[in-house]
Amino acid sequence: MTDPVAARRAAIAAEKERLARARERRSSQGQSAATGFGRRKWRWLGVNGDEAIDAVLVMLRDFAAAPELTDGQRDTLDRAVAGTPDRETLLPAVRAGLATLEPAAVLGHLRSLWAAGVRWLGERGSDRCRVLCSTAPGVELLGTRSHAVSGGPAFSLFVTAATRGAIPLPNAVLTQVLPWAPLSVLDDLVDHGGLLTDDEPWLARTGDEALYLRARLAPHTVGPQDAERLDWQDALRRRAFLADETLLRQEPEDVWDLLYDVARDVQLSSLDALDAVLPRAQQIQLRDLRSGALFGQWDGDTLRDRGLWKLMAALWRPTETVDPRRGEFYVLVALDRAYDLLKSGDLDGARRQAESFVRERKAAPGPSLPAELLAEAYTIAAYATAVTSADAGSDWAAREQLDLAKTYAEKAAEDGGPVAERNLRHVGAWRATPKNKRGMMTNPFLDIGLDHGAEGWERHCRALFRDYEEHGDQAAQARLNLAQDRIDEAARHEAGFDVFFRAPLDPARSAQPDAVPGRLVPPLEPMARRTALTSGADLESIRALASVELLDDFRSTPPHLDRHGSTR
């Protein structure tokens, strides 16, 4: 304001307003303004001005009659209220009186003293009081110096709570606050790494809170019943998946739904979605598995995980003969490939694949493969060899092939059971029958790409016929009609479909195992936080307890007053 007259008028008005507010405050508190002599006495105690005197008097009246005080302390307080405070004995009496109050009341009085400029705390206490009296202390408030400010357990917890765990609790006070700290503050510490599994905070809590902390920090210690009690769906669904139990699908799909789709149901369309939700370690395993499918090459740990075999077999489409000597997974893939070649009409390819087992059998001194799987390989080899004998260039060559087919069938019959023995009789009958009197040796179900005795073959035949008709393939239609007639005729006789050579003996033997894919199962992660941010009421209660700790730094003598009136 540049006009000196206007500035003077404004200053007078402001002073009148201040005096009016002071009179109104003294009237509402039932107090009278201190005399000049009284102000001087208070000033020597570090209490400057009417507002500061009023704040001190309100505090003194709050505990002056506390029964816990001694007669001398009460007398000191009464004389101070009367306007004659004693410089030597007042502050110890004030500290004793504050100690009789509830924490919230202590906080209120310390706030009033701090706002009025009364500094009855030591340097360390003043630093902490400044923090406690701040409206919303945070990391930006606690500067470099304040970070070094240390205090009791409650003050340390207050700083942690106010900064949402950014400033951790000192280890020295951790065990003291764990029994009573709000759960949301402990969650802040967990989120910032200030509370670890080794701290075992659940030992200091009871009931659901202890269980919750274990799930947050030591998830592997939480059993099925406790997980149910917590309604911890991630742990429950993981355990159900590992136990091969039925999972109810989630909306949206979670990692367990996608794992089931990909690894158990082999839905390759869900591979990318699974890749996106897997943790990094399992994501790498999945990508290694997919890249290994290009050439059928995987590391030993992957091959030992039987739960991955269905997915590996679905991803790998070998175009060359698979060597069954490479391991059990390759045995199943080789058998499945030989059978698929049979159904697709590639009998030569099926024979070469089946004979890879025969070569392995001859190379080893004894059977290195399960007998039932060798029986399956010999059965496919016998069928493919017998059927292709009809295309041999001479009767002698055809006879040689049938002899070889009979040898294969005999090997299959050793461990193949009644079906293999019936197949052996079929081969023996073909071999004993002249070529011009020999009927068709193929299995009509395999001719049309179905499993032996498959239901719904009529519907399949109709669909194939329409497809051949659209493409104008009359030769294929004729072959289809012949196969259908043979199945119809067999169905009308008592022997049924046993009149056909059956391959494989048991399709389930070459099926990939239906197991849990251990290497793709994510580890059990700690339970996600369930508490909200620390409430204002919780923060205020911690602040009040921290204010009680400030009494340990209460001065026993007033601050020194210099000649200009400032205290230090």
Side-chain angles (χ1 to χ4, degrees):
M1 188 176 295
T2 57
D3 185 352
V5 177
R8 185 171 184 276
R9 289 175 179 173
I12 294 174
E15 178 63 14
K16 288 182 178 179
E17 184 178 355
R18 186 189 69 78
L19 293 174
R21 287 200 306 269
R23 284 193 300 272
E24 182 180 354
R25 182 176 61 255
R26 288 193 297 271
S27 175
S28 63
Q29 295 176 349
Q31 300 172 193
S32 59
T35 64
F37 180 74
R39 290 192 188 95
R40 183 178 181 187
K41 281 187 170 292
W42 281 114
R43 182 166 169 267
W44 280 104
L45 283 160
V47 182
N48 297 304
D50 289 344
E51 292 186 11
I53 295 173
D54 290 346
V56 171
L57 292 177
V58 169
M59 175 185 67
L60 297 181
R61 289 190 175 92
D62 198 7
F63 51 71
E68 295 89 348
L69 300 177
T70 64
D71 292 340
Q73 290 169 338
R74 279 195 292 271
D75 181 61
T76 297
L77 297 175
D78 289 342
R79 283 189 283 115
V81 170
T84 57
D86 186 271
R87 179 178 172 83
E88 302 299 328
T89 60
L90 179 60
L91 265 61
V94 170
R95 186 209 178 284
L98 285 172
T100 66
L101 300 178
E102 293 295 325
V106 174
L107 175 62
H109 289 311
L110 289 182
R111 275 175 163 163
S112 298
L113 295 181
W114 185 263
V118 180
R119 301 294 183 258
W120 282 350
L121 295 171
E123 182 179 2
R124 287 165 52 85
S126 294
D127 286 339
R128 282 181 286 155
C129 190
R130 175 181 59 82
V131 174
L132 292 177
C133 293
S134 300
T135 304
V139 178
E140 68 283 353
L141 174 64
L142 301 177
T144 304
R145 183 184 176 198
S146 295
H147 273 259
V149 172
S150 60
F155 178 79
S156 299
L157 185 67
F158 174 76
V159 172
T160 294
T163 58
R164 296 182 183 176
I167 299 178
L169 276 171
N171 290 333
V173 304
L174 184 60
T175 56
Q176 300 177 57
V177 303
L178 284 177
W180 58 270
L183 201 57
S184 59
V185 180
L186 298 187
D187 265 336
D188 288 336
L189 287 169
V190 172
D191 291 342
H192 285 81
L195 197 59
L196 304 175
T197 305
D198 292 342
D199 297 321
E200 297 183 331
W202 53 86
L203 298 179
R205 310 298 276 249
T206 59
D208 289 343
E209 289 188 352
L211 183 57
Y212 173 77
L213 289 172
R214 275 202 294 127
R216 290 277 285 144
L217 288 168
H220 291 285
T221 67
V222 179
Q225 292 183 344
D226 288 338
E228 288 277 2
R229 180 174 161 189
L230 287 169
D231 192 26
W232 186 9
Q233 288 301 312
D234 285 345
L236 293 173
R237 288 175 65 76
R238 182 179 186 275
R239 185 171 283 109
F241 183 84
L242 290 173
D244 200 15
E245 298 174 359
T246 302
L247 290 176
L248 295 177
R249 297 193 70 86
Q250 301 291 303
E251 186 61 41
E253 296 172 324
D254 64 2
V255 65
W256 307 109
D257 291 329
L258 294 170
L259 264 177
Y260 200 95
D261 291 345
V262 171
R264 308 302 296 277
D265 289 346
V266 197
Q267 296 180 18
L268 301 185
S269 60
S270 298
L271 270 170
D272 291 337
L274 176 62
D275 182 278
V277 299
L278 282 176
R280 183 59 179 167
Q282 285 68 43
Q283 187 182 68
I284 292 174
Q285 295 289 348
L286 179 61
R287 293 179 182 181
D288 287 346
L289 186 145
R290 297 176 74 172
S291 62
L294 294 174
F295 302 103
Q297 298 283 353
W298 294 278
D299 62 79
D301 290 337
T302 300
L303 287 169
R304 282 188 286 272
D305 189 346
R306 297 171 64 87
L308 296 175
W309 288 6
K310 287 174 68 175
L311 178 57
M312 291 158 60
L315 291 170
W316 184 29
R317 286 289 179 254
T319 57
E320 302 293 335
T321 300
V322 177
D323 187 356
R325 291 173 296 182
R326 295 174 63 185
E328 187 178 353
F329 168 72
Y330 295 97
V331 170
L332 299 180
V333 171
L335 279 177
D336 193 58
R337 180 174 183 271
Y339 182 46
D340 285 343
L341 291 171
L342 275 188
K343 291 196 294 184
S344 66
D346 186 358
L347 297 179
D348 289 332
R351 178 179 174 180
R352 287 192 299 272
Q353 182 62 77
E355 286 181 339
S356 66
F357 288 84
V358 177
R359 291 192 299 273
E360 194 276 339
R361 178 72 174 266
K362 290 179 179 178
S368 59
L369 297 176
E372 64 272 12
L373 296 183
L374 278 174
E376 294 291 351
Y378 278 124
T379 297
I380 294 175
Y383 178 80
T385 303
V387 172
T388 56
S389 68
D391 300 327
S394 63
D395 289 343
W396 178 84
R399 175 68 59 177
E400 286 291 320
Q401 280 195 230
L402 284 173
D403 288 342
L404 181 58
K406 183 174 182 294
T407 301
Y408 289 154
E410 288 172 344
K411 295 293 186 180
E414 292 176 4
D415 301 295
V419 176
E421 293 173 358
R422 187 164 57 246
N423 286 342
L424 176 59
R425 291 194 292 271
H426 285 311
V427 176
W430 296 335
R431 183 172 174 274
T433 303
K435 181 177 181 180
N436 57 354
K437 294 183 179 180
R438 194 181 301 147
M440 294 190 67
M441 293 183 284
T442 61
N443 184 317
F445 286 100
L446 298 180
D447 288 342
I448 61 177
L450 291 178
D451 295 331
H452 176 83
E455 296 181 359
W457 58 271
E458 299 100 329
R459 185 168 55 255
H460 179 75
C461 287
R462 288 194 295 269
L464 275 181
F465 190 88
R466 287 193 297 268
D467 185 61
Y468 293 150
E469 189 174 36
E470 289 178 4
H471 291 84
D473 193 342
Q474 296 181 352
Q477 286 179 306
R479 290 194 299 271
L480 177 63
N481 287 333
L482 178 59
Q484 189 172 0
D485 291 342
R486 292 177 64 201
I487 295 174
D488 278 331
E489 183 179 357
R492 290 194 296 268
H493 289 80
E494 183 178 352
F497 300 143
D498 288 344
V499 297
F500 305 129
F501 188 105
R502 180 169 177 175
L505 304 175
D506 183 359
R509 291 176 180 173
S510 62
Q512 298 292 348
D514 193 16
V516 175
R519 284 172 67 80
L520 291 184
V521 174
L524 181 60
E525 296 292 337
M527 188 173 72
R529 175 175 182 159
R530 291 185 175 180
T531 61
L533 297 178
T534 303
S535 67
D538 283 340
L539 190 62
E540 197 67 11
S541 66
I542 301 172
R543 193 196 306 254
L545 293 174
S547 70
V548 175
E549 295 175 347
L550 292 181
L551 299 183
D552 294 336
D553 286 309
F554 212 83
R555 288 176 178 270
S556 59
T557 59
H560 178 71
L561 181 69
D562 68 13
R563 59 188 299 219
H564 299 293
S566 63
T567 58
R568 65 178 188 271

